[in-house]
Amino acid sequence: MMQTYQRYLWIILPCFIALLAVTITCAPPGSLLLLCLCCMALLWKIKVKDRSISSLLAQYVAVKAVCLLGNRQRNRLEADTRDIHRVQEETLLKRLQKHSDTVYGKQYEFTSIKDTKTFQQHHPITDYDHYEKFVERVAKGEQNVLISEKPLILAMTSGTSGSSRMLLSTKDTNTEFFLQGVTVCLDAMRQAFPATDCLQKTLKIFYSPIFRQSEAGIPIGPNSSTPASSKHMLHLYTTPAPVYQVLNERDALYLHLLFGLKDRYLGMLESNFSSTVFYAFRALQEHWKDLVVDVEVGMINSGLNLKADVRRALEKLMKPDPERAAELTAQFEEGFEGIAHRIWPHLHLVLTVDSGSNQIYGEMLRQHYCKAVPFYSPFYAATEGLIGVNLWPQQESRQYLLCPRSMFCEFIPEEDLDSERPKTLLMGQLQEGHNYELLVTNASGLFRYRIGDVVKVVGFHNQCPKVEFQYRRGQMLSVRGEKVSESLFLGALKRAVTQWPGAKLIDYSCVESGVLGSASGIAQPHYLVFVELKGVRNLSEEQRYKLDHCLQEDSDIYRSFRMKGSIGPMGVQLVREGTFQELKDRLMAFSRTSSNTFKMQRVIRRREFADFLLQRAFS
């Protein structure tokens, strides 16, 4: 019934606004008062539990505005895909013109570049080392070095392939992400999942990042905005504003869960990455009894380390709800398989990226906690900017249409990745079924920059490529030059797990034997695989060998080295429960990134993290 009322609101609210506007201009004061009272009474009658009329109106207006904008941007994207060369060249020349008066723009004579071919001839292919000194000058306060404006922040990358890097983030980068990414994907989402049109709240799991300052006072931190920075949007979410002042992630997650659990009519779960959603459900499974008590008595757990003013503000929002607490208890006591739909029966969607290194978390959520709930992986993006959008939300494989106005893109064929002077291709020159490394020229001072992502072209939408993420170049396993990618290894691991009776994969990372030296065991170069499993406590040697065998079946080069004895047998180590949560904390502390942008390293290259995994191994 409540859900039906929410649908009616989409009809009633615009009628109310239209009638009010007409009455104000045409009707006498008495009619205006009567109409307002009647409309307010009707809205009050169908008021969603714990939602004020002003909150519903604000949500309606905000969502409708974004939907209209999204539809407009979607139409523009559709037109752009029919003339990809022109649009890409316009994007490139716009970038060069804007930054032509900078130190960098003068060095590479941007004013003389009038087309794509000249740009490729004048400017080299670059990596981060090329920009490091320029970024340092910006951090010290020097103007017009790489870009023509002061950056909003110095954005730290996630450090997936090693150390975190510091890049510039500008207003243009954020605007493009919103217009070409967020609005377009929301339009696609609402077409694919009409139920998301209901005026329900979203549980958005997001942690307030900690920023430090450069010498010039420029914030340094992850390139992710917080919902609290857009206060007019907070009414869309179950989490109240004071929670975003809580910097301890465990306490913040507890509060996200608490206020989400209070709302029986929750419509959507949202987070940047599915790993965040997965670990949120693991925390829910561990702490549900404490959370239910808080819901029942209308208090905030005294064990949380909160500032006094934050605690007071949050407790003002709490009311005892023994009925909801009893409902939650009954569902939790039945177990956690399919728990999302049981505690939130009106849940329509999980909105989160579940491709690339997050693929295994998405699969675990769909198989266990979030059974029967659709998932939508909306973006392909990086610290460098928006790369692609997923216009096919209901498709099982995650395919992203490259955004031709976000960045100027070039591509290195996979077979030329190690070439000293690789040839690059443009969007219109790519071939379906082939793999390429992506180069970008973006809005924030990167030109022909190798971001390290290798993608596969799986088709075209008009002239524009659709791609699937394959792997990061820095996350390849290679002890003899065999180059086993993350996607290839994960496929072999998943097949091996199916041959380990009762086992469910939670997480994994690999270490090349050279990182551990003599601690790795045998002298031949080999891989050590650290696996967190659920459902088994030990594996026989025969079962462990299944993984080596599966990888040999999938990789002819790996099999060749194994048969010659150039690569030794793979070592498989089981680690204790919670190991990868601890590894995540250590990696984030090292790279100074946050949970909002963190991606688990599938190939560990630093000795201290490899030693940590060895210490956590029990079998």
Side-chain angles (χ1 to χ4, degrees), residues 101-120:
D101 287 333
T102 63
V103 172
Y104 192 89
K106 291 175 181 177
Q107 180 177 331
Y108 286 97
E109 301 177 341
F110 283 178
T111 55
S112 69
I113 298 174
K114 305 301 181 185
D115 55 41
T116 301
K117 185 176 181 181
T118 308
F119 173 63
Q120 291 175 313

Side-chain angles (χ1 to χ4, degrees), residues 305-319:
N305 183 20
L306 305 178
K307 294 179 180 178
D309 60 330
V310 171
R311 182 176 289 276
R312 281 194 302 271
L314 293 175
E315 289 192 337
K316 284 181 181 178
L317 302 172
M318 296 290 293
K319 296 178 182 178

Side-chain angles (χ1 to χ4, degrees), residues 174-191:
N174 292 351
T175 300
E176 286 165 1
F177 188 87
F178 177 74
L179 291 178
Q180 300 181 44
V182 173
T183 65
V184 170
C185 288
L186 286 178
D187 182 72
M189 178 186 79
R190 295 186 185 283
Q191 288 187 34

Side-chain angles (χ1 to χ4, degrees), residues 515-560:
V515 173
L516 285 165
S518 60
S520 67
I522 62 174
Q524 296 161 295
H526 62 285
Y527 308 157
L528 281 90
V529 186
F530 296 90
V531 185
E532 185 175 332
L533 297 175
K534 183 179 179 181
V536 297
R537 294 293 299 169
N538 200 2
L539 295 173
S540 67
E541 287 303 316
E542 182 181 357
Q543 287 174 319
R544 292 169 200 259
Y545 179 71
K546 295 287 187 184
L547 176 53
D548 196 296
H549 180 70
C550 287
L551 187 57
Q552 289 186 50
E553 288 183 331
D554 292 349
S555 171
D556 292 337
I557 297 175
Y558 179 74
R559 181 173 66 250
S560 172

Side-chain angles (χ1 to χ4, degrees), residues 561-607:
F561 279 116
R562 286 286 289 116
M563 291 178 67
K564 292 187 294 186
S566 302
I567 295 179
M570 193 182 303
V572 178
Q573 300 275 357
L574 303 190
V575 297
R576 298 183 184 92
E577 182 179 350
T579 292
F580 283 90
Q581 179 68 57
E582 290 184 47
L583 179 61
K584 172 188 170 185
D585 293 341
R586 289 169 181 252
L587 289 169
M588 285 197 306
F590 172 76
S591 62
R592 293 183 174 181
T593 188
S594 78
S595 286
N596 305 313
T597 57
F598 176 80
K599 298 168 191 164
M600 180 59 70
Q601 292 184 18
R602 299 304 175 195
V603 180
I604 302 295
R605 303 205 182 277
R606 293 188 68 88
R607 177 67 185 259

Side-chain angles (χ1 to χ4, degrees), residues 186 189-190 196 200-204 238 265-270 346-351:
L186 286 178
M189 178 186 79
R190 295 186 185 283
T196 57
Q200 295 164 270
K201 286 198 172 187
T202 295
L203 169 52
K204 180 164 184 173
T238 55
Y265 303 99
L266 190 78
M268 191 152 54
L269 291 172
E270 180 183 350
H346 305 289
L347 186 67
H348 303 303
L349 188 68
V350 179
L351 182 64

